[in-house]
Amino acid sequence: MHEAPEPHTGWTFLTNHARVLAAIAEDSSTRIRDIAARCRLTERAVQKIVSDLEESGYLTHTRQGRSNAYCIEEGTILRHPAEAGLTVADLLSLLARHDAEHDDGRPELQEAVPPQARNTEADL
């Protein structure tokens, strides 16, 4: 389980929805409690965000015993008009590439992104 770091105040570049989505991309069977700790949110806030993402078609879940397994709908288009045409897979690919380049010990996020969404060195 991730230990919750110190809370952050002020604005940030990524929304809480993007943070939760990235946490789920890293581990599709992660618990709400673990997402909350990683994203520095309350469990109630994470539950609301997961509900928002599901209602908007970005995420689905299935019950596996007492847990949930999440599935990110990678082809779903991002909501803001400035990101017209960009998909969830594009966003996760960008985040995964950042993590890979900075080698912060989370290579599993790169593996969570489908191969078709990843940019290879030949694409750059």
Side-chain angles (χ1 to χ4, degrees):
M1 184 167 125
H2 299 284
E3 184 177 319
E6 292 295 316
H8 180 273
T9 58
W11 65 274
T12 63
F13 284 99
L14 294 178
T15 67
N16 289 337
H17 285 65
R19 292 178 196 285
V20 168
L21 197 63
I24 292 170
E26 185 175 321
D27 179 1
S28 65
S29 62
T30 189
R31 299 177 307 172
I32 295 289
R33 173 180 305 156
D34 296 333
I35 296 170
R38 176 179 172 188
C39 297
R40 302 179 193 173
L41 300 169
T42 65
E43 289 180 35
R44 179 177 222 135
V46 171
Q47 288 172 335
K48 172 69 170 113
I49 290 169
V50 167
S51 177
D52 288 347
L53 292 169
E54 285 187 303
E55 287 175 15
S56 297
Y58 291 93
L59 186 66
T60 59
H61 80 275
T62 55
R63 290 294 285 173
Q64 291 186 338
R66 294 173 46 190
S67 302
N68 287 323
Y70 298 97
C71 179
I72 295 172
E73 301 298 329
E74 295 139 352
T76 307
I77 304 295
L78 299 180
R79 294 170 49 110
H80 196 281
E83 290 122 19
L86 294 177
T87 65
V88 169
D90 295 329
L91 172 64
L92 294 174
S93 176
L94 177 66
L95 295 174
R97 186 170 29 179
H98 173 270
D99 284 351
E101 289 171 357
H102 291 88
D103 191 32
D104 66 357
R106 295 188 315 168
E108 61 274 7
L109 184 58
Q110 178 69 25
E111 295 169 7
V113 178
Q116 66 273 20
R118 294 186 196 139
N119 289 328
T120 63
E121 290 181 7
D123 294 336
L124 297 177

